Amino acid sequence: ILISPDGDITISNDGATIMSQMAIENQIGKLLVELSKSQDDEIGDGTTGIVVLAGALLEQAEELLDRGIHPIRISDGFERACKIAVAHLDKVSDVIPWSKDDTSDLFKCAKTSLGSKIVNKCHDQFAQIAVDAILSVADLERKDVDFELIKMEGKVGGELANTSLVKGVVIDKDFSHPQMPKEIKDARIAILTCPFEPPKPKTKHKLDITTVKEFEELQKYERDTFENMIKQVKDCGANVVACQWGFDDEANSLLLQHKLPAIRWVGGPEIELLAIATNGRIVPRFEDLSGEKLGSAGTIREVTFGTTNESMIVVEDCANSKAVTVFVRGGNKMIVDEAKRSLHDAMCVVRNLIVDNRVVYGGAAAEISCSIAVDKEADQVSSIEQYAMRSFARALDAIPMALAENSGLPPIETLSFVKSQQIKLGITSLGVDCMDTGINDMKEQFVFDPLISKRQQFLLATQLVKMILKIDDVIVHKTDDQ
Protein backbone atom coordinates (compact mmCIF):
# COMPACT_ATOMS: atom_id res chain seq x y z
CA ILE A 1 0.00 0.00 0.00
CA LEU A 2 1.44 3.36 -1.07
CA ILE A 3 0.21 6.67 0.33
CA SER A 4 1.11 9.77 -1.65
CA PRO A 5 1.79 13.22 -0.05
CA ASP A 6 -1.79 14.19 -1.04
CA GLY A 7 -3.20 11.19 0.84
CA ASP A 8 -4.04 9.17 -2.31
CA ILE A 9 -3.82 5.42 -1.71
CA THR A 10 -2.45 2.89 -4.20
CA ILE A 11 -2.58 -0.84 -3.48
CA SER A 12 -0.46 -2.82 -5.92
CA ASN A 13 2.01 -5.67 -6.30
CA ASP A 14 3.08 -4.50 -9.76
CA GLY A 15 6.83 -3.86 -9.53
CA ALA A 16 6.89 -0.88 -11.91
CA THR A 17 3.98 0.86 -10.10
CA ILE A 18 5.52 0.41 -6.65
CA MET A 19 8.96 1.59 -7.81
CA SER A 20 7.62 4.62 -9.68
CA GLN A 21 5.51 5.83 -6.72
CA MET A 22 8.17 5.45 -4.02
CA ALA A 23 9.87 8.68 -2.98
CA ILE A 24 13.44 7.35 -3.24
CA GLU A 25 16.32 9.63 -2.20
CA ASN A 26 19.19 7.20 -2.78
CA GLN A 27 20.84 7.66 -6.20
CA ILE A 28 21.37 3.93 -6.81
CA GLY A 29 17.74 3.37 -5.77
CA LYS A 30 16.68 5.85 -8.45
CA LEU A 31 18.67 3.84 -11.02
CA LEU A 32 16.71 0.72 -9.99
CA VAL A 33 13.46 2.67 -10.53
CA GLU A 34 14.65 3.57 -14.05
CA LEU A 35 15.53 -0.09 -14.59
CA SER A 36 12.01 -1.31 -13.76
CA LYS A 37 10.56 1.49 -15.93
CA SER A 38 12.66 0.47 -18.95
CA GLN A 39 11.54 -3.18 -18.51
CA ASP A 40 7.92 -2.00 -18.29
CA ASP A 41 8.24 0.19 -21.41
CA GLU A 42 10.04 -2.44 -23.50
CA ILE A 43 8.41 -5.70 -22.36
CA GLY A 44 5.51 -4.71 -20.08
CA ASP A 45 5.96 -7.61 -17.64
CA GLY A 46 8.72 -8.95 -15.35
CA THR A 47 9.34 -5.62 -13.58
CA THR A 48 9.49 -7.18 -10.10
CA GLY A 49 11.86 -9.96 -11.19
CA ILE A 50 14.33 -7.55 -12.77
CA VAL A 51 14.60 -5.45 -9.58
CA VAL A 52 15.04 -8.60 -7.42
CA LEU A 53 17.79 -9.82 -9.77
CA ALA A 54 19.59 -6.45 -9.88
CA GLY A 55 19.42 -6.20 -6.06
CA ALA A 56 20.85 -9.72 -5.68
CA LEU A 57 23.68 -8.94 -8.14
CA LEU A 58 24.57 -5.77 -6.20
CA GLU A 59 24.59 -7.77 -2.95
CA GLN A 60 26.93 -10.37 -4.47
CA ALA A 61 29.15 -7.62 -5.95
CA GLU A 62 29.52 -6.06 -2.49
CA GLU A 63 30.76 -9.37 -1.06
CA LEU A 64 33.32 -9.69 -3.89
CA LEU A 65 34.53 -6.11 -3.33
CA ASP A 66 35.00 -6.90 0.39
CA ARG A 67 37.21 -9.82 -0.67
CA GLY A 68 39.44 -7.35 -2.56
CA ILE A 69 38.45 -8.21 -6.15
CA HIS A 70 38.66 -5.23 -8.52
CA PRO A 71 35.30 -3.85 -9.78
CA ILE A 72 36.34 -4.20 -13.44
CA ARG A 73 37.11 -7.92 -12.96
CA ILE A 74 33.72 -8.35 -11.26
CA SER A 75 31.88 -6.60 -14.09
CA ASP A 76 33.79 -8.69 -16.68
CA GLY A 77 32.79 -11.86 -14.82
CA PHE A 78 29.14 -10.75 -14.66
CA GLU A 79 29.16 -9.96 -18.38
CA ARG A 80 30.63 -13.36 -19.19
CA ALA A 81 28.08 -15.12 -16.96
CA CYS A 82 25.21 -13.13 -18.50
CA LYS A 83 26.24 -14.24 -22.02
CA ILE A 84 26.26 -17.89 -20.85
CA ALA A 85 22.85 -17.47 -19.17
CA VAL A 86 21.27 -15.83 -22.25
CA ALA A 87 22.73 -18.50 -24.56
CA HIS A 88 21.39 -21.18 -22.19
CA LEU A 89 17.91 -19.55 -22.26
CA ASP A 90 17.90 -19.91 -26.07
CA LYS A 91 18.90 -23.57 -25.66
CA VAL A 92 16.16 -24.46 -23.13
CA SER A 93 13.41 -22.41 -24.79
CA ASP A 94 10.47 -24.08 -26.53
CA VAL A 95 8.43 -22.80 -29.46
CA ILE A 96 4.73 -22.70 -28.70
CA PRO A 97 2.51 -22.99 -31.76
CA TRP A 98 -0.56 -20.79 -31.95
CA SER A 99 -3.02 -19.55 -34.52
CA LYS A 100 -6.12 -17.37 -34.55
CA ASP A 101 -8.21 -20.52 -34.13
CA ASP A 102 -6.04 -22.18 -31.45
CA THR A 103 -5.04 -19.69 -28.75
CA SER A 104 -4.78 -22.14 -25.83
CA ASP A 105 -1.02 -21.60 -25.39
CA LEU A 106 -1.36 -17.80 -25.47
CA PHE A 107 -4.09 -18.19 -22.83
CA LYS A 108 -1.76 -20.24 -20.60
CA CYS A 109 0.98 -17.58 -20.80
CA ALA A 110 -1.47 -14.78 -19.96
CA LYS A 111 -2.65 -16.89 -17.02
CA THR A 112 0.95 -17.23 -15.75
CA SER A 113 1.34 -13.44 -15.80
CA LEU A 114 -1.89 -12.98 -13.80
CA GLY A 115 -0.89 -15.63 -11.23
CA SER A 116 0.78 -13.14 -8.89
CA LYS A 117 -1.88 -10.43 -9.24
CA ILE A 118 -4.89 -9.68 -7.05
CA VAL A 119 -7.25 -10.55 -9.91
CA ASN A 120 -6.34 -14.24 -9.72
CA LYS A 121 -9.85 -15.22 -8.60
CA CYS A 122 -11.01 -14.30 -12.13
CA HIS A 123 -7.86 -15.86 -13.59
CA ASP A 124 -9.36 -17.55 -16.65
CA GLN A 125 -11.70 -14.70 -17.55
CA PHE A 126 -8.99 -12.00 -17.45
CA ALA A 127 -6.52 -14.19 -19.39
CA GLN A 128 -9.14 -14.76 -22.11
CA ILE A 129 -9.91 -11.02 -22.27
CA ALA A 130 -6.17 -10.25 -22.68
CA VAL A 131 -5.81 -12.79 -25.52
CA ASP A 132 -9.00 -11.67 -27.32
CA ALA A 133 -8.11 -7.96 -27.02
CA ILE A 134 -4.62 -8.44 -28.46
CA LEU A 135 -5.74 -10.71 -31.31
CA SER A 136 -8.49 -8.21 -32.23
CA VAL A 137 -5.95 -5.44 -32.91
CA ALA A 138 -2.84 -7.46 -33.90
CA ASP A 139 -1.31 -7.18 -37.35
CA LEU A 140 -0.25 -10.84 -37.71
CA GLU A 141 1.65 -10.31 -40.98
CA ARG A 142 3.93 -7.66 -39.48
CA LYS A 143 3.84 -9.36 -36.02
CA ASP A 144 2.94 -6.02 -34.49
CA VAL A 145 0.34 -4.88 -31.95
CA ASP A 146 -0.84 -1.27 -31.64
CA PHE A 147 -1.79 -0.68 -28.00
CA GLU A 148 -3.37 2.66 -28.98
CA LEU A 149 -6.32 0.66 -30.35
CA ILE A 150 -7.03 -0.95 -26.97
CA LYS A 151 -8.74 1.36 -24.50
CA MET A 152 -9.07 0.54 -20.81
CA GLU A 153 -12.17 1.99 -19.19
CA GLY A 154 -12.99 1.38 -15.53
CA LYS A 155 -16.12 1.93 -13.48
CA VAL A 156 -16.40 1.47 -9.71
CA GLY A 157 -19.27 -0.84 -8.76
CA GLY A 158 -20.07 -4.43 -9.54
CA GLU A 159 -17.35 -7.03 -9.15
CA LEU A 160 -14.25 -8.11 -11.06
CA ALA A 161 -16.21 -10.94 -12.69
CA ASN A 162 -18.36 -8.30 -14.48
CA THR A 163 -15.31 -7.12 -16.47
CA SER A 164 -15.91 -7.52 -20.20
CA LEU A 165 -14.36 -6.91 -23.60
CA VAL A 166 -16.37 -4.60 -25.86
CA LYS A 167 -15.70 -4.95 -29.60
CA GLY A 168 -16.01 -1.21 -30.09
CA VAL A 169 -15.62 1.95 -28.04
CA VAL A 170 -16.88 2.86 -24.57
CA ILE A 171 -17.18 6.62 -23.91
CA ASP A 172 -17.60 7.82 -20.33
CA LYS A 173 -20.33 10.35 -21.28
CA ASP A 174 -24.09 10.35 -21.80
CA PHE A 175 -26.36 11.82 -24.47
CA SER A 176 -26.52 15.60 -24.07
CA HIS A 177 -30.30 15.68 -23.45
CA PRO A 178 -32.16 13.23 -21.16
CA GLN A 179 -35.03 12.88 -23.69
CA MET A 180 -32.80 11.77 -26.56
CA PRO A 181 -33.20 8.08 -27.55
CA LYS A 182 -31.03 5.70 -25.49
CA GLU A 183 -30.28 3.34 -28.38
CA ILE A 184 -29.60 4.05 -32.06
CA LYS A 185 -29.37 1.26 -34.63
CA ASP A 186 -27.35 1.58 -37.88
CA ALA A 187 -25.68 4.75 -36.62
CA ARG A 188 -24.02 7.24 -38.98
CA ILE A 189 -21.78 9.37 -36.80
CA ALA A 190 -20.57 12.92 -37.48
CA ILE A 191 -17.33 13.32 -35.48
CA LEU A 192 -16.77 17.04 -34.90
CA THR A 193 -14.00 19.09 -33.31
CA CYS A 194 -15.90 22.36 -33.89
CA PRO A 195 -18.34 23.69 -31.25
CA PHE A 196 -22.11 24.12 -31.78
CA GLU A 197 -22.09 27.88 -31.29
CA PRO A 198 -22.11 31.07 -33.42
CA PRO A 199 -18.67 32.11 -34.72
CA LYS A 200 -16.68 34.48 -32.49
CA PRO A 201 -13.55 36.54 -33.17
CA LYS A 202 -10.38 34.83 -31.90
CA THR A 203 -9.26 37.99 -30.06
CA LYS A 204 -11.11 39.66 -27.16
CA HIS A 205 -14.36 41.21 -28.34
CA LYS A 206 -17.16 43.35 -27.00
CA LEU A 207 -20.70 43.70 -28.34
CA ASP A 208 -22.82 46.74 -27.42
CA ILE A 209 -26.60 46.22 -27.54
CA THR A 210 -28.58 49.43 -27.04
CA THR A 211 -32.11 48.49 -28.15
CA VAL A 212 -34.53 45.57 -27.85
CA LYS A 213 -34.55 45.26 -31.66
CA GLU A 214 -30.78 44.71 -31.73
CA PHE A 215 -31.08 42.03 -29.04
CA GLU A 216 -33.84 40.26 -30.99
CA GLU A 217 -31.70 40.40 -34.14
CA LEU A 218 -28.78 38.84 -32.26
CA GLN A 219 -31.08 36.13 -30.90
CA LYS A 220 -32.40 35.42 -34.41
CA TYR A 221 -28.84 35.32 -35.82
CA GLU A 222 -27.81 32.77 -33.16
CA ARG A 223 -30.88 30.61 -33.80
CA ASP A 224 -30.33 30.74 -37.58
CA THR A 225 -26.68 29.76 -37.08
CA PHE A 226 -27.67 26.74 -34.97
CA GLU A 227 -30.40 25.78 -37.48
CA ASN A 228 -27.89 25.99 -40.33
CA MET A 229 -25.32 23.85 -38.43
CA ILE A 230 -27.92 21.17 -37.68
CA LYS A 231 -29.13 21.27 -41.33
CA GLN A 232 -25.56 20.68 -42.55
CA VAL A 233 -25.24 17.67 -40.22
CA LYS A 234 -28.64 16.24 -41.29
CA ASP A 235 -27.96 16.85 -45.01
CA CYS A 236 -24.80 14.72 -44.99
CA GLY A 237 -26.85 11.77 -43.63
CA ALA A 238 -25.69 11.70 -40.01
CA ASN A 239 -28.07 10.49 -37.28
CA VAL A 240 -25.67 10.88 -34.29
CA VAL A 241 -23.22 13.69 -33.43
CA ALA A 242 -20.06 13.25 -31.32
CA CYS A 243 -18.58 16.64 -30.48
CA GLN A 244 -15.27 17.42 -28.75
CA TRP A 245 -16.70 20.66 -27.36
CA GLY A 246 -19.83 21.54 -25.45
CA PHE A 247 -22.93 23.40 -26.62
CA ASP A 248 -25.45 25.54 -24.81
CA ASP A 249 -29.05 24.73 -23.89
CA GLU A 250 -30.50 26.33 -27.01
CA ALA A 251 -28.37 24.20 -29.35
CA ASN A 252 -29.19 21.14 -27.21
CA SER A 253 -32.93 21.84 -27.46
CA LEU A 254 -32.73 22.29 -31.25
CA LEU A 255 -30.80 19.02 -31.60
CA LEU A 256 -33.60 17.26 -29.69
CA GLN A 257 -36.29 18.90 -31.88
CA HIS A 258 -34.50 17.72 -35.02
CA LYS A 259 -34.18 14.18 -33.57
CA LEU A 260 -30.39 14.31 -33.68
CA PRO A 261 -28.86 12.57 -30.62
CA ALA A 262 -25.57 14.15 -29.57
CA ILE A 263 -22.64 13.40 -27.25
CA ARG A 264 -20.65 16.40 -26.04
CA TRP A 265 -17.26 16.91 -24.35
CA VAL A 266 -15.77 13.74 -25.88
CA GLY A 267 -12.03 13.74 -25.00
CA GLY A 268 -9.23 13.86 -27.59
CA PRO A 269 -8.02 10.21 -27.30
CA GLU A 270 -11.64 8.95 -27.24
CA ILE A 271 -12.63 10.91 -30.34
CA GLU A 272 -9.59 9.53 -32.20
CA LEU A 273 -10.43 5.96 -31.16
CA LEU A 274 -14.07 6.53 -32.18
CA ALA A 275 -12.91 7.72 -35.61
CA ILE A 276 -10.63 4.66 -36.03
CA ALA A 277 -13.33 2.22 -34.86
CA THR A 278 -16.11 3.62 -37.04
CA ASN A 279 -13.92 4.38 -40.10
CA GLY A 280 -14.99 8.02 -39.82
CA ARG A 281 -13.06 11.24 -40.32
CA ILE A 282 -12.67 13.91 -37.65
CA VAL A 283 -14.24 17.05 -39.14
CA PRO A 284 -12.95 20.47 -37.97
CA ARG A 285 -15.65 22.63 -39.70
CA PHE A 286 -19.34 22.16 -40.49
CA GLU A 287 -18.70 23.18 -44.11
CA ASP A 288 -16.40 20.13 -44.56
CA LEU A 289 -19.09 17.61 -43.58
CA SER A 290 -19.94 15.02 -46.24
CA GLY A 291 -21.41 11.51 -46.38
CA GLU A 292 -18.06 9.72 -46.88
CA LYS A 293 -16.58 11.37 -43.75
CA LEU A 294 -19.19 9.84 -41.44
CA GLY A 295 -18.40 6.91 -39.20
CA SER A 296 -20.69 3.89 -39.08
CA ALA A 297 -21.63 1.55 -36.24
CA GLY A 298 -24.28 -1.16 -35.76
CA THR A 299 -25.48 0.12 -32.37
CA ILE A 300 -24.90 3.08 -30.09
CA ARG A 301 -26.52 2.73 -26.69
CA GLU A 302 -26.44 4.47 -23.35
CA VAL A 303 -25.86 2.16 -20.38
CA THR A 304 -26.74 3.16 -16.80
CA PHE A 305 -25.04 1.68 -13.72
CA GLY A 306 -26.54 1.05 -10.29
CA THR A 307 -28.51 3.72 -8.48
CA THR A 308 -26.04 6.56 -9.10
CA ASN A 309 -27.47 7.47 -12.54
CA GLU A 310 -23.96 7.27 -13.98
CA SER A 311 -24.10 6.56 -17.69
CA MET A 312 -21.73 5.50 -20.45
CA ILE A 313 -22.08 5.33 -24.22
CA VAL A 314 -21.23 1.99 -25.83
CA VAL A 315 -20.50 1.98 -29.58
CA GLU A 316 -20.68 -1.59 -30.93
CA ASP A 317 -20.50 -3.48 -34.26
CA CYS A 318 -18.17 -0.85 -35.67
CA ALA A 319 -17.05 -0.69 -39.29
CA ASN A 320 -13.44 -1.34 -38.23
CA SER A 321 -13.30 -4.19 -35.72
CA LYS A 322 -9.67 -3.43 -34.84
CA ALA A 323 -10.55 -1.04 -31.97
CA VAL A 324 -11.63 -2.64 -28.69
CA THR A 325 -12.34 -1.48 -25.14
CA VAL A 326 -11.76 -3.46 -21.97
CA PHE A 327 -14.45 -2.42 -19.51
CA VAL A 328 -13.21 -3.13 -15.97
CA ARG A 329 -15.52 -3.31 -12.95
CA GLY A 330 -14.50 -3.53 -9.29
CA GLY A 331 -15.59 -2.83 -5.73
CA ASN A 332 -13.45 0.31 -5.37
CA LYS A 333 -11.12 2.54 -7.37
CA MET A 334 -7.97 0.78 -6.13
CA ILE A 335 -9.23 -2.64 -7.29
CA VAL A 336 -10.20 -1.21 -10.70
CA ASP A 337 -6.76 0.46 -11.12
CA GLU A 338 -4.89 -2.70 -10.10
CA ALA A 339 -7.06 -4.81 -12.44
CA LYS A 340 -6.17 -2.44 -15.31
CA ARG A 341 -2.45 -2.78 -14.52
CA SER A 342 -2.74 -6.59 -14.29
CA LEU A 343 -4.55 -6.77 -17.63
CA HIS A 344 -1.94 -4.53 -19.21
CA ASP A 345 0.83 -6.92 -18.07
CA ALA A 346 -1.09 -9.95 -19.40
CA MET A 347 -1.68 -8.19 -22.74
CA CYS A 348 2.04 -7.37 -22.98
CA VAL A 349 2.85 -11.09 -22.47
CA VAL A 350 0.49 -12.05 -25.33
CA ARG A 351 1.95 -9.26 -27.50
CA ASN A 352 5.49 -10.57 -26.82
CA LEU A 353 4.46 -14.07 -27.90
CA ILE A 354 3.03 -12.72 -31.16
CA VAL A 355 6.38 -10.97 -31.79
CA ASP A 356 8.43 -14.06 -30.77
CA ASN A 357 6.60 -17.28 -29.86
CA ARG A 358 9.49 -18.88 -27.94
CA VAL A 359 8.96 -19.47 -24.23
CA VAL A 360 10.94 -20.59 -21.20
CA TYR A 361 9.33 -22.24 -18.20
CA GLY A 362 8.22 -20.17 -15.21
CA GLY A 363 8.27 -20.98 -11.51
CA ALA A 364 11.96 -19.89 -11.63
CA ALA A 365 12.80 -23.04 -13.67
CA ALA A 366 14.72 -20.89 -16.20
CA GLU A 367 16.72 -19.07 -13.48
CA ILE A 368 17.69 -22.34 -11.71
CA SER A 369 18.69 -23.92 -15.03
CA CYS A 370 20.81 -20.86 -15.96
CA SER A 371 22.37 -20.82 -12.48
CA ILE A 372 23.48 -24.48 -12.92
CA ALA A 373 24.86 -23.70 -16.42
CA VAL A 374 26.83 -20.64 -15.20
CA ASP A 375 28.23 -22.58 -12.21
CA LYS A 376 29.37 -25.36 -14.54
CA GLU A 377 31.10 -22.91 -16.90
CA ALA A 378 32.77 -21.09 -13.97
CA ASP A 379 34.66 -24.27 -13.06
CA GLN A 380 36.40 -24.15 -16.44
CA VAL A 381 37.54 -20.50 -16.11
CA SER A 382 41.08 -20.18 -14.76
CA SER A 383 41.08 -16.40 -14.15
CA ILE A 384 39.63 -14.48 -11.19
CA GLU A 385 36.37 -13.91 -13.14
CA GLN A 386 35.24 -17.38 -11.97
CA TYR A 387 34.38 -15.85 -8.55
CA ALA A 388 32.15 -13.23 -10.20
CA MET A 389 30.52 -15.92 -12.36
CA ARG A 390 29.68 -18.03 -9.30
CA SER A 391 28.28 -14.91 -7.62
CA PHE A 392 26.09 -14.33 -10.70
CA ALA A 393 24.78 -17.89 -10.34
CA ARG A 394 24.02 -17.25 -6.64
CA ALA A 395 22.19 -14.02 -7.57
CA LEU A 396 19.99 -16.00 -10.00
CA ASP A 397 19.05 -18.25 -7.06
CA ALA A 398 17.53 -15.22 -5.30
CA ILE A 399 14.47 -15.38 -7.60
CA PRO A 400 13.42 -19.00 -6.81
CA MET A 401 14.06 -18.30 -3.12
CA ALA A 402 11.84 -15.20 -3.17
CA LEU A 403 9.20 -17.16 -5.08
CA ALA A 404 9.27 -20.02 -2.56
CA GLU A 405 9.11 -17.61 0.39
CA ASN A 406 6.13 -15.75 -1.08
CA SER A 407 4.34 -19.06 -1.62
CA GLY A 408 4.74 -20.09 2.02
CA LEU A 409 7.42 -22.74 1.26
CA PRO A 410 10.83 -23.08 3.03
CA PRO A 411 13.09 -21.18 0.54
CA ILE A 412 16.47 -22.94 1.02
CA GLU A 413 14.98 -26.46 1.14
CA THR A 414 12.82 -25.80 -1.93
CA LEU A 415 15.73 -24.39 -3.96
CA SER A 416 18.06 -27.25 -2.95
CA PHE A 417 15.44 -29.87 -3.89
CA VAL A 418 14.58 -28.36 -7.31
CA LYS A 419 18.24 -27.76 -8.16
CA SER A 420 19.25 -31.32 -7.28
CA GLN A 421 16.31 -32.70 -9.32
CA GLN A 422 17.28 -30.60 -12.35
CA ILE A 423 20.90 -31.84 -12.18
CA LYS A 424 19.91 -35.46 -11.46
CA LEU A 425 17.14 -35.80 -14.07
CA GLY A 426 18.42 -33.26 -16.60
CA ILE A 427 14.92 -31.72 -16.94
CA THR A 428 15.23 -27.94 -17.28
CA SER A 429 11.50 -27.30 -16.81
CA LEU A 430 11.51 -28.20 -13.08
CA GLY A 431 10.66 -25.16 -10.93
CA VAL A 432 9.10 -24.02 -7.65
CA ASP A 433 5.63 -25.51 -7.14
CA CYS A 434 3.95 -22.26 -5.94
CA MET A 435 0.41 -23.60 -6.35
CA ASP A 436 1.19 -26.67 -4.19
CA THR A 437 -0.06 -29.11 -6.83
CA GLY A 438 2.59 -31.71 -6.02
CA ILE A 439 4.12 -31.36 -9.52
CA ASN A 440 7.41 -29.51 -9.98
CA ASP A 441 7.43 -29.77 -13.77
CA MET A 442 6.31 -26.37 -15.09
CA LYS A 443 5.68 -27.91 -18.51
CA GLU A 444 2.91 -30.03 -17.00
CA GLN A 445 1.57 -27.07 -15.01
CA PHE A 446 1.59 -24.91 -18.19
CA VAL A 447 3.58 -22.12 -16.51
CA PHE A 448 5.27 -20.22 -19.37
CA ASP A 449 7.27 -16.99 -19.65
CA PRO A 450 8.07 -15.31 -22.98
CA LEU A 451 11.75 -15.77 -23.85
CA ILE A 452 12.25 -12.12 -24.83
CA SER A 453 11.01 -11.00 -21.39
CA LYS A 454 13.43 -13.25 -19.48
CA ARG A 455 16.35 -12.40 -21.77
CA GLN A 456 15.69 -8.68 -21.34
CA GLN A 457 15.65 -9.10 -17.54
CA PHE A 458 19.12 -10.70 -17.53
CA LEU A 459 20.65 -8.21 -19.98
CA LEU A 460 19.25 -5.02 -18.38
CA ALA A 461 20.01 -6.06 -14.77
CA THR A 462 23.61 -7.00 -15.67
CA GLN A 463 24.06 -3.78 -17.65
CA LEU A 464 22.92 -1.65 -14.70
CA VAL A 465 25.10 -3.48 -12.13
CA LYS A 466 28.14 -3.16 -14.43
CA MET A 467 27.51 0.59 -14.68
CA ILE A 468 27.19 0.94 -10.89
CA LEU A 469 30.45 -1.01 -10.38
CA LYS A 470 32.27 1.49 -12.60
CA ILE A 471 31.32 4.38 -10.23
CA ASP A 472 34.34 5.26 -8.11
CA ASP A 473 33.34 8.66 -6.70
CA VAL A 474 30.20 10.69 -5.96
CA ILE A 475 30.29 14.45 -6.51
CA VAL A 476 27.36 16.37 -5.04
CA HIS A 477 26.84 19.97 -6.13
CA LYS A 478 25.68 22.03 -3.19
CA THR A 479 24.06 25.48 -3.38
CA ASP A 480 25.77 28.53 -1.84
CA ASP A 481 23.52 28.60 1.24
CA GLN A 482 24.46 24.98 2.02
Side-chain angles (χ1 to χ4, degrees):
I1 182 165
L2 296 152
I3 302 168
S4 73
D6 303 334
D8 293 334
I9 295 172
T10 306
I11 296 174
S12 179
N13 65 354
D14 178 54
T17 307
I18 294 168
M19 295 294 280
S20 63
Q21 294 204 10
M22 285 166 69
I24 294 171
E25 294 293 324
N26 185 285
Q27 276 66 35
I28 302 300
K30 285 178 180 174
L31 289 175
L32 287 172
V33 174
E34 291 295 317
L35 178 70
S36 76
K37 189 175 181 301
S38 63
Q39 174 78 5
D40 197 37
D41 291 347
E42 185 67 24
I43 302 294
D45 192 31
T47 50
T48 315
I50 196 168
V51 174
V52 171
L53 179 58
L57 283 170
L58 287 170
E59 206 176 315
Q60 293 296 330
E62 191 180 18
E63 285 179 23
L64 293 172
L65 289 169
D66 290 343
R67 288 164 73 176
I69 300 173
H70 196 276
I72 287 179
R73 306 308 294 272
I74 298 169
S75 77
D76 287 349
F78 280 176
E79 177 67 23
R80 200 162 169 178
C82 182
K83 278 182 183 167
I84 294 162
V86 169
H88 186 71
L89 280 178
D90 286 338
K91 206 184 294 176
V92 300
S93 66
D94 274 352
V95 174
I96 58 159
W98 65 270
S99 66
K100 266 210 152 174
D101 305 318
D102 178 21
T103 59
S104 56
D105 287 328
L106 295 180
F107 171 77
K108 287 165 191 168
C109 289
K111 209 170 158 182
T112 304
S113 171
L114 292 166
S116 62
K117 314 290 186 192
I118 60 166
V119 298
N120 58 4
K121 75 176 185 117
C122 304
H123 226 148
D124 293 1
Q125 182 190 352
F126 272 65
Q128 196 58 56
I129 287 173
V131 172
D132 292 346
I134 291 293
L135 288 179
S136 296
V137 303
D139 184 341
L140 298 179
E141 283 179 21
R142 287 173 53 226
K143 291 192 171 181
D144 186 35
V145 177
D146 185 2
F147 271 91
E148 292 289 314
L149 297 174
I150 302 174
K151 183 167 175 269
M152 291 262 203
E153 195 64 69
K155 201 76 170 169
V156 174
E159 54 179 347
L160 280 171
N162 296 346
T163 299
S164 60
L165 178 70
V166 177
K167 295 285 177 78
V169 184
V170 175
I171 302 168
D172 194 2
K173 302 286 172 198
D174 52 5
F175 284 117
S176 59
H177 198 290
Q179 289 174 311
M180 284 175 178
K182 302 297 181 197
E183 186 168 349
I184 298 110
K185 300 272 185 190
D186 301 321
R188 303 271 290 148
I189 310 158
I191 305 166
L192 304 172
T193 53
C194 45
F196 263 100
E197 57 183 36
K200 296 174 185 169
K202 288 276 187 281
T203 53
K204 282 187 179 179
H205 62 282
K206 186 181 173 190
L207 188 64
D208 290 324
I209 296 172
T210 51
T211 64
V212 174
K213 191 168 181 282
E214 285 176 354
F215 181 74
E216 284 171 351
E217 279 176 7
L218 177 65
Q219 214 171 10
K220 185 176 180 300
Y221 166 70
E222 281 194 358
R223 189 178 180 84
D224 290 347
T225 308
F226 286 139
E227 291 274 10
N228 187 37
M229 287 172 175
I230 291 166
K231 184 177 180 297
Q232 285 173 320
V233 173
K234 293 282 273 189
D235 286 351
C236 71
N239 58 0
V240 183
V241 176
C243 185
Q244 192 173 9
W245 302 99
F247 30 83
D248 62 16
D249 292 342
E250 189 177 356
N252 209 2
S253 175
L254 285 168
L255 284 162
L256 178 68
Q257 284 173 30
H258 286 83
K259 296 189 172 81
L260 195 60
I263 313 160
R264 56 184 165 185
W265 299 118
V266 182
E270 290 171 326
I271 215 158
E272 284 176 17
L273 198 62
L274 183 64
I276 293 166
T278 60
N279 274 348
R281 293 277 296 278
I282 296 172
V283 180
R285 294 184 308 173
F286 284 93
E287 292 77 18
D288 298 341
L289 270 169
S290 62
E292 62 269 14
K293 290 182 181 176
L294 300 179
S296 55
T299 328
I300 296 181
R301 58 194 172 89
E302 188 181 295
V303 184
T304 312
F305 300 99
T307 56
T308 56
N309 289 333
E310 285 192 33
S311 304
M312 285 181 129
I313 305 279
V314 180
V315 184
E316 291 174 309
D317 305 326
C318 299
N320 177 9
S321 61
K322 271 194 174 293
V324 295
T325 304
V326 179
F327 186 43
V328 183
R329 303 300 308 276
N332 57 44
K333 189 175 181 294
M334 287 168 284
I335 295 274
V336 170
D337 289 345
E338 181 64 5
K340 281 186 187 177
R341 285 190 287 266
S342 305
L343 265 170
H344 176 263
D345 283 5
M347 284 180 196
C348 288
V349 166
V350 179
R351 186 270 314 263
N352 294 338
L353 288 168
I354 286 173
V355 174
D356 183 351
N357 65 339
R358 289 179 296 167
V359 294
V360 290
Y361 294 98
E367 282 86 351
I368 295 169
S369 180
C370 289
S371 169
I372 294 165
V374 171
D375 246 338
K376 199 174 175 185
E377 285 288 328
D379 293 338
Q380 296 168 27
V381 175
S382 58
S383 61
I384 206 164
E385 274 96 349
Q386 63 168 284
Y387 289 99
M389 288 170 75
R390 286 201 188 96
S391 293
F392 188 94
R394 279 197 294 278
L396 285 174
D397 290 343
I399 289 181
M401 283 174 77
L403 207 53
E405 198 173 338
N406 290 342
S407 307
L409 302 168
I412 296 169
E413 282 175 42
T414 307
L415 175 64
S416 308
F417 172 72
V418 176
K419 218 170 188 179
S420 66
Q421 289 294 99
Q422 273 209 22
I423 294 168
K424 199 185 295 178
L425 304 173
I427 302 170
T428 56
S429 58
L430 296 176
V432 179
D433 178 21
C434 301
M435 308 302 284
D436 204 20
T437 57
I439 305 166
N440 280 93
D441 193 341
M442 296 296 124
K443 199 170 189 173
E444 285 181 40
Q445 282 202 38
F446 305 117
V447 180
F448 303 139
D449 266 336
L451 172 67
I452 55 174
S453 171
K454 198 63 74 181
R455 189 203 286 140
Q456 189 82 356
Q457 278 186 11
F458 287 7
L459 291 170
L460 288 180
T462 309
Q463 206 175 342
L464 178 80
V465 173
K466 277 176 62 188
M467 187 181 77
I468 292 168
L469 282 167
K470 298 276 172 73
I471 298 169
D472 58 358
D473 203 356
V474 178
I475 299 165
V476 181
H477 288 284
K478 292 190 176 180
T479 52
D480 296 337
D481 56 336
Q482 284 178 311

